[in-house]
Amino acid sequence: MSGLAFAQAPPPSYPLRFLATSLLWGALAGAWLLAGGDALLLSVHAPATIALVHVFTLGLLGNAMLGSLVQFLPVAAASPLPVARGVAPLHATFNLGVVLLLPAIATHSILFGMLAAPLLLGTLALSAGAVLVAVVRGSGARAVRIGIGLAAASLLAALVLGAALLSMRLGWLAPARPLTAAHAGFGLLGWVLGLLAAVGSMVMPMLQGVRCIAPAWLWAWLVLLAGVMLAAAADGLGATLPAAGARTLATLPLLLFATTVIVLQLRAPHRRGTVLRRFWALGGVALGCGALAIWLPGQGVLAGALVVAVGFPALVLGMAMEITGFLAWIELRRRMPRGTRVPGVGSLFDERHKRRVWWLHAAASLSLAVACVLPGLARVSGALLVLAWLGAAHALWRCWRSASTWQA
């Protein structure tokens, strides 16, 4: 904790608006599955299923990761964002773009596509550019900053490929070679996994009590991830990869990250952050199982659900609750007169509420995995997802309310 620059923290409302919105998108994903039923779990190529994937990747994960960066870059990486004051309009524009994108994908609506494309292209390109400028100007750990920069560059590549795919789907471009694999590679492996690994190399020792990762291992990971991104770029430019090679490139980073998380937790010399450890253990197990499911014939939906709807959301939700506790403490310190003794930074978010959220998400995750094998349970899984994400939103609200109403 002593290495955190709390004086550089932005106003708590900046990252909090992204984190709260991500939980609402999670509830919407559950409602989408509740309404669509088993039809959403039969094929990864169905338009409604593709739209549901983007509810998770853009709505849930996108908001959570952008909000985390708003807080993490200046406080932990000594890399303040140059557009911090534009966070509010950026948040509104980005989420409006996601709302408009969903009917464009699900119904092939040209009108919604014309409205969504400039909003998402503008906001995500601006966000990625701001992150790149921040890490170049920053003074934090070099490996962490390079990892975040690589993730931001991957986001730009995924954005370009996503725009091309949308244009083909709406008839603006002639159908060309499939770009879905390259788009998913840059978006999920480069942007999401790359950012989680970079941030996790700092927050796991700090908040979970695991051993610090040796710099040589961090640099080896960055080289591996850069190689995977180059292969994805080659695939997008026309180089046809063998099926086994493409699966290996997809599974290797996931398995390595999942194994590292589990091993570090098992060998932690100072175990702390019990609920956060549970969320990261759940995420690690789900990512590992999802990577293995990629190799099973006819299990594309199961693999995607474990990675996109269970693994990554578990990791970011665990971090979101920790960040919310920090934000509530910062807000309380700013509200109280100088010299007032305030509760500790880890005491504003009740551990009982965190445990309740974890159990809800563990049940919802298990039900979703079962529903991918038995699609008749899809609506049950959707209802549990709605309950889990609304429960998380209620827990975050209670944490913030405790800081807003606390009196000396």
Side-chain angles (χ1 to χ4, degrees):
M1 298 293 181
S2 59
L4 300 179
F6 288 109
Q8 301 295 326
S13 61
Y14 286 7
L16 187 63
R17 69 181 71 228
F18 281 101
L19 300 179
T21 306
S22 72
L23 305 184
L24 299 181
W25 278 108
L28 177 62
W32 192 292
L33 183 58
L34 179 61
D38 58 352
L40 296 176
L41 300 180
L42 299 179
S43 171
V44 295
H45 303 293
T49 303
I50 297 174
L52 176 60
V53 169
H54 285 80
V55 173
F56 280 106
T57 55
L58 287 177
L60 196 164
L61 296 175
N63 275 285
M65 295 170 68
L66 291 176
S68 299
L69 281 176
V70 170
Q71 180 73 10
F72 180 84
L73 282 173
V75 174
S79 304
L81 279 171
V83 293
R85 294 184 178 180
V87 164
L90 187 70
H91 166 266
T93 307
F94 169 68
N95 283 281
L96 177 60
V98 179
V99 169
L100 295 171
L101 178 68
L102 299 181
I105 295 176
T107 66
H108 296 79
S109 171
I110 295 178
L111 174 60
F112 283 109
M114 292 176 61
L115 296 174
L119 293 176
L120 289 177
L121 287 171
T123 54
L124 289 178
L126 179 61
S127 300
V131 171
L132 289 172
V133 171
V135 297
V136 169
R137 292 179 176 177
S139 58
R142 180 175 297 179
V144 174
R145 288 189 291 117
I146 291 178
I148 295 175
L150 180 61
S154 299
L155 174 60
L156 288 175
L159 185 61
V160 172
L161 292 170
L165 286 169
L166 180 64
S167 299
M168 295 175 192
R169 178 173 291 272
L170 299 180
W172 299 340
L173 290 178
R177 61 174 279 103
L179 300 175
T180 305
H183 174 59
F186 278 110
L188 294 177
L189 299 180
W191 163 236
V192 181
L193 184 64
L195 183 59
L196 285 170
V199 174
S201 66
M202 286 193 66
V203 300
M204 284 194 71
M206 185 182 304
L207 301 179
Q208 300 185 36
V210 306
R211 298 183 185 277
C212 292
I213 302 175
W217 287 105
L218 289 177
W219 289 109
W221 164 261
L222 292 176
V223 171
L224 170 65
L225 198 60
V228 172
M229 293 304 99
L230 289 176
D235 181 62
L237 293 174
T240 303
L241 298 176
R247 290 178 180 178
T248 301
L249 289 175
T251 56
L252 185 58
L254 291 171
L255 283 175
L256 182 59
F257 177 84
T259 303
T260 302
V261 168
I262 300 301
V263 170
L264 285 176
Q265 287 192 346
L266 292 176
R267 298 182 176 181
H270 309 288
R271 298 187 178 185
R272 50 180 176 265
T274 304
V275 180
L276 177 61
R277 288 168 57 88
R278 290 182 184 179
F279 270 104
W280 274 61
L282 173 62
V285 170
L287 291 180
C289 293
L292 296 177
I294 293 175
W295 292 87
L296 299 178
Q299 296 300 325
V301 173
L302 175 62
L306 288 173
V307 173
V308 175
V310 177
F312 287 144
L315 297 171
V316 300
L317 177 57
M319 284 304 305
M321 291 196 296
E322 296 299 321
I323 293 173
T324 302
F326 282 113
L327 297 177
W329 181 75
I330 292 173
E331 176 65 21
L332 180 58
R333 285 191 57 187
R334 292 184 175 185
R335 189 169 60 86
M336 289 292 104
R338 185 181 298 274
T340 304
R341 291 179 60 88
V342 299
V345 67
S347 62
L348 291 175
F349 207 131
D350 195 322
E351 288 294 318
R352 295 173 302 170
H353 300 161
K354 292 181 181 180
R355 287 194 296 270
R356 187 178 300 120
V357 171
W358 186 87
W359 281 109
L360 287 173
H361 276 268
S365 300
L366 179 60
S367 70
L368 182 58
V370 174
C372 290
V373 181
L374 303 173
L377 300 176
R379 285 192 165 87
V380 175
S381 176
L384 289 175
L385 283 172
V386 172
L387 181 63
W389 287 103
L390 289 181
H394 182 255
L396 262 67
W397 174 79
R398 294 190 66 170
C399 172
W400 185 256
R401 184 173 178 273
S402 67
S404 303
T405 59
W406 187 87
Q407 296 294 331

